[in-house]
Amino acid sequence: MDVQAHDAGPGGARPSAPTAVLIATCVSTLVVNANTSAVSILLPAISADTGTSLDVLQWAVTGYSLVGAAVIVTSGALGDVFGRRLVFLGGLALFIASCVLIALSDSGGGVIAGRAIQGAAGATILACGMSLLSVSTSGEGQVRAVTLWGGASAVGAAAGPLLGGLLVDGTGWQGLFWIDAAIALACVPVTLKGVAESRDPDRGRSIDFAGTVLIAGVLAPALLALSEGATWGWTSAAVLGCFALALVSCVAFVAVERRVEAPLVDLRLLKDRVLIGATVGILLSAGVINGLMYLVSLYFQNPATLALSPFEAGLAPHLPRYQRSMANYARLLVEPGESAD
């Protein structure tokens, strides 16, 4: 295998990531995040094309999040055991397959199933991509590499709605998934040729299957309850049951992780207040942003509200019409007797 050499710095430290690692991880992360943020813009077009209601198609967003939340921790652990590059390539293959499935679907069920698969693929790419960057660098080089990775993630999330709206008007909603599949496919030879395999030498070869099931039992029901709480009712049996299942799974997960030889999560990390605070802050901000993105994109394109085209919806925050309409809408909340433009 042809793997780019790491230029060692003082004391043998690797100052920067090999170009192939940066290309493979940053490009794939950009594509995953652009795809995730663009789907909300595509939902009205998918609904019109497949004859599936938006109420059903919201599972294309919820299903993605549920599966991704259940898989992301496990995929990182699998990379440590079986090889980060191998699992990263598996994530790319799964992402390509899911894009093709969605693009070829003529029903809402196919789109939702493809998005669920895409949730697992995206979580695997993000988790193992970060691991590959971390093991290929150290010191200041690692900071630069992670900064580039974070920048690619942010650019993808910001550009997704605009690109999605542009593609809907130009190629149909399927165009986004064909393009994403092509870009992910291009990352495969880059990864094979230029990214070295790596594992965690201190981690046993055993897999924490119980922890894998329990972490999914914590994250998936909790996310489902938060996603559907407004519809089902926050005090409904379904929502309270989801939260109860998540709580029981959490207690069982902690008990299991204290006893297994190779735990899925090192519980000592829970003592790091800075890490916990930063993680909670990121989760809250990401949850709010993604929730608003979904609701606002539908509001923009609804014929009864702003009636924007998909492209205009992607550009909406910068459009004077949007700014005027939202200002009028804000006034209506205070003075309901008036009418919006």
Side-chain angles (χ1 to χ4, degrees), residues 34-256:
N35 181 283
T36 302
S37 63
V39 166
S40 295
I41 294 291
L42 305 182
L43 288 182
I46 297 174
S47 176
D49 193 30
T50 62
T52 307
S53 70
L54 288 173
D55 288 342
V56 173
L57 281 178
Q58 63 92 18
W59 282 100
V61 177
T62 304
Y64 180 96
S65 300
L66 287 175
V67 177
V71 167
I72 190 165
V73 176
T74 303
S75 61
L78 291 175
D80 291 339
V81 174
F82 296 111
R84 299 178 180 99
R85 189 187 74 152
L86 176 64
V87 178
F88 179 76
L89 285 168
L92 287 175
L94 201 60
F95 185 81
I96 294 167
S98 67
C99 285
V100 173
L101 172 61
I102 295 170
L104 293 177
S105 295
D106 56 4
S107 68
V111 173
I112 293 170
R115 285 288 292 166
I117 296 171
Q118 208 161 71
T124 301
I125 290 170
L126 295 179
C128 292
M130 175 62 80
S131 296
L132 286 170
L133 274 182
S134 297
V135 300
S136 67
T137 57
S138 62
E140 293 182 3
Q142 188 175 82
V143 174
R144 287 194 295 269
V146 173
T147 300
L148 286 172
W149 186 89
S153 176
V155 168
L162 176 60
L163 294 175
L166 183 64
L167 289 169
V168 168
D169 291 340
T171 66
W173 61 268
Q174 297 91 341
L176 173 75
F177 298 102
W178 287 121
I179 292 173
D180 285 348
I183 296 174
L185 182 61
C187 290
V188 172
V190 174
T191 303
L192 287 171
K193 184 175 179 62
V195 178
E197 184 60 282
S198 63
R199 298 177 178 84
D200 185 350
D202 299 324
R203 187 182 181 91
R205 299 285 293 177
S206 62
I207 302 298
D208 181 11
F209 291 108
T212 298
V213 173
L214 288 171
I215 195 66
V218 173
L219 296 175
L223 185 57
L224 179 61
L226 292 172
S227 300
E228 300 298 326
T231 302
W232 294 347
W234 292 106
T235 58
S236 66
V239 170
L240 294 179
C242 285
F243 281 131
L245 177 59
L247 180 60
V248 171
S249 298
C250 183
V251 173
F253 177 75
V254 172
V256 167

Side-chain angles (χ1 to χ4, degrees), residues 243-295:
F243 281 131
L245 177 59
L247 180 60
V248 171
S249 298
C250 183
V251 173
F253 177 75
V254 172
V256 167
E257 295 305 280
R258 286 177 173 174
R259 291 173 173 79
V260 296
E261 177 185 353
L264 196 65
V265 175
D266 187 349
L267 296 180
R268 290 173 297 181
L269 295 175
L270 300 179
K271 298 179 180 179
D272 189 333
R273 295 182 180 180
V274 175
L275 176 63
I276 296 301
T279 302
V280 171
I282 291 171
L283 289 175
L284 289 176
S285 61
V288 171
I289 290 172
N290 288 331
L292 285 175
M293 186 180 301
Y294 170 73
L295 294 174

